[in-house]
Amino acid sequence: MPCPVLLIAGGSRGIGAAAAKLAGARGYDVAVNYLSNANAAASVVATVKAAGGNSIAIQGDMAREDEIARVFNEAAKLGPLTHLIHSSGVTGKNSRLDAVETKTIQETIDVNTFGALIFLREAVRRMSTKHGGKGGSIVMLSSMAAVIGGVNEYTWYAAAKAAVDTMVIGVAREVAKEGIRINAVSPGAIDTDIHEPGRLERIMPNLPMGRPGTAEEVAEAILFLLSDAASYITGATLNVSGGR
Ligand code: NAP
């Protein structure tokens, strides 16, 4: 039987990279999208291949409509796409809202919200049985910031991620009879490069488990929702936040 084909937007580092490696170990072929870190993407591709899967790296800006469509088309060279993870995300330089530059807000919403909507649209156009596709499973990366607000750090990012929770509910219901499940994973503080230096140490006393999570812990939840073990779960957001 052919391997299921998975595209990961933002698969070169952090949570997306951990999910790519776990997926490779579990028998997926994996297309690894990245923005600028070609070496990191190549390392993820090598790990998937070492586990026996096929894998390619695809550069592309997931904030741009034309590039998102191109990334989907290039990923399909591995075979018909049946599984997707949207992990490309940025917070912008941390501050209160009254100190943030307009450009930071725009860039954050372009990647996290606009890009996520276009990603889902392109997915449905290709995967929905209504459009002749085979169906599949999609996991979007939200954030606990969507419910706690990103206070004093990145309220614009929190708002951009709240939109992800909402689009998952709505689009999942639109395509529930068309073979596609769509869910979100909402991480708390996870130890990756996304944080400004010193942030994780600063917020540590407020973390219920007294530690941040690992990208691998989030990847386990993503792979569960992607899989047939989650066949009756759609439109859901799963918190992976250590109680935060
Ligand atoms: P990360 O370590 O900073 O990695 C970000 C990934 O996204 C990289 O692969 C990066 O590619 C890619 N990326 C960024 N902008 C992109 C763009 N415009 N087009 C394509 N790829 C782009 O971040 P992370 O911590 O793994 O976060 C992954 C997701 O989880 C994000 O959506 C984030 O908001 C969410 N999240 C993270 C945390 C946390 O504590 N870490 C908590 C809640 C939610 P390059 O390597 O090429 O730069």
Side-chain angles (χ1 to χ4, degrees):
M1 230 175 65
C3 296
V5 179
L6 165 66
L7 164 63
I8 307 184
S12 47
R13 290 183 297 118
I15 293 166
K21 292 173 189 172
L22 190 59
R26 295 201 181 157
Y28 290 80
D29 289 342
V30 188
V32 179
N33 160 255
Y34 66 99
L35 179 64
S36 53
N37 204 328
N39 287 342
S43 160
V44 173
V45 164
T47 305
V48 173
K49 285 184 171 171
N54 200 357
S55 187
I56 53 174
I58 307 172
Q59 193 282 330
D61 185 347
M62 300 308 279
R64 288 186 42 190
E65 180 179 9
D66 54 343
E67 300 217 0
I68 293 168
R70 177 179 57 75
V71 168
F72 269 89
N73 293 340
E74 287 189 24
K77 289 175 187 161
L78 286 178
L81 291 172
T82 50
H83 296 77
L84 305 173
I85 299 170
H86 187 271
S87 194
S88 39
V90 293
T91 62
K93 184 178 178 311
N94 296 187
S95 74
R96 282 171 41 122
L97 186 66
D98 50 11
V100 71
E101 290 181 17
T102 305
K103 186 169 168 282
T104 301
I105 297 176
Q106 189 68 62
E107 286 173 356
T108 305
I109 288 174
D110 283 351
V111 180
N112 296 284
T113 307
F114 174 76
L117 279 166
I118 299 295
F119 184 86
L120 281 177
R121 186 189 72 185
E122 294 305 308
V124 170
R125 286 178 174 175
R126 288 162 172 79
M127 289 164 60
S128 164
T129 53
K130 190 180 162 197
H131 296 296
K134 293 176 185 301
S137 178
I138 305 172
V139 177
M140 307 293 288
L141 268 298
S142 179
S143 171
M144 288 307 291
V147 289
I148 60 181
V151 184
N152 292 325
E153 296 187 310
Y154 36 53
T155 51
W156 54 90
Y157 166 77
K161 288 297 193 182
V164 172
D165 290 343
T166 305
M167 71 181 80
V168 163
I169 294 168
V171 185
R173 289 176 181 171
E174 281 183 358
V175 299
K177 291 195 181 83
E178 299 168 21
I180 306 176
R181 293 184 302 103
I182 307 174
N183 292 291
V185 163
S186 194
I190 308 301
D191 191 358
T192 72
D193 299 344
I194 203 167
H195 306 280
E196 289 196 346
R199 175 175 187 265
L200 285 177
E201 293 70 19
R202 179 166 47 78
I203 67 172
M204 200 84 78
N206 301 324
L207 302 181
M209 286 191 180
R211 68 168 179 91
T214 66
E216 289 71 24
E217 288 174 309
V218 183
E220 290 284 354
I222 294 171
L223 266 288
F224 163 66
L225 287 172
L226 268 192
S227 77
D228 289 346
S231 55
Y232 201 57
I233 304 177
T234 196
T237 294
L238 175 57
N239 296 349
V240 183
S241 63
R244 185 162 157 87

